[in-house]
Amino acid sequence: MNEAASLVLAFLREAWLALAGAFLAFVLLAGIAQVLRVSSASMLGANLWVWESVSALLSIVMIGLFAFLGIPQIVSALQSSLPGAGGCGPISELGTFASALIGGLAALRMLKATFISVLSASIGGASSFSHALIECAEAIFGMILASAAIPLAAWFLGTC
């Protein structure tokens, strides 16, 4: 079971790195697009467009910082709080595998939410920072529920 967990976690880690690389590229593209919008709006004398572009640029920076500094810390903190063993025997190994899988999937889901938000901002749409935070909160809530479900399942199944 440990070999399967390490294989799945290695796959999720590689997927996270690939998505993080694409995320960084789109953060840079979105930042350049907003800087160009600021310069063109200031040349036209449209103060409202300037402030919209500045606020979009600030939200892109905030999303980028949250994705690269916040998400790994949140996932590591929540994954360390998940129970490693919910009993003895196969239930213990299954609980360890489930907690590792839940942590990896939550990290990918949070990065995907921030990636979609930055992708929207890079093509000129609204940066849905609130939607990204809501989806991150859903992933965290799912991890918290799983941390309660693993010991309850072990108790229900009657393992030691």
Side-chain angles (χ1 to χ4, degrees):
M1 188 67 70
N2 288 336
E3 296 85 20
S6 64
L7 181 68
V8 169
L9 284 178
F11 176 74
L12 291 176
R13 194 171 294 119
E14 293 297 323
W16 197 90
L17 286 174
L19 192 58
F23 178 78
L24 182 61
F26 277 105
V27 163
L28 292 175
L29 286 175
I32 291 170
Q34 294 304 325
V35 167
L36 291 174
R37 280 182 62 188
V38 166
S39 62
S40 64
S42 65
M43 290 298 289
L44 290 173
N47 290 335
L48 179 64
W49 290 351
V50 169
W51 288 112
E52 284 178 355
S53 299
V54 167
S55 67
L57 183 63
L58 288 176
S59 70
I60 289 168
V61 169
M62 286 175 41
I63 292 171
L65 288 175
F66 174 72
F68 286 116
L69 299 177
I71 290 176
Q73 296 299 321
I74 290 170
V75 169
S76 67
L78 284 174
Q79 200 164 15
S80 68
S81 70
L82 285 174
C88 60
I91 296 295
S92 172
E93 293 176 11
L94 187 61
T96 304
F97 179 70
S99 66
L101 186 63
I102 288 168
L105 288 175
L108 273 180
R109 185 174 176 198
M110 285 190 265
L111 190 62
K112 179 200 66 96
T114 55
F115 178 75
I116 289 172
S117 178
V118 167
L119 181 65
S120 172
S122 69
I123 60 174
S127 60
S128 55
F129 186 54
S130 61
H131 178 67
L133 289 178
I134 288 171
E135 195 161 343
C136 291
E138 288 173 358
I140 291 171
F141 188 67
M143 287 180 73
I144 291 171
L145 283 179
S147 70
I150 292 170
L152 285 176
W155 176 77
F156 181 72
L157 293 174
T159 60
C160 35

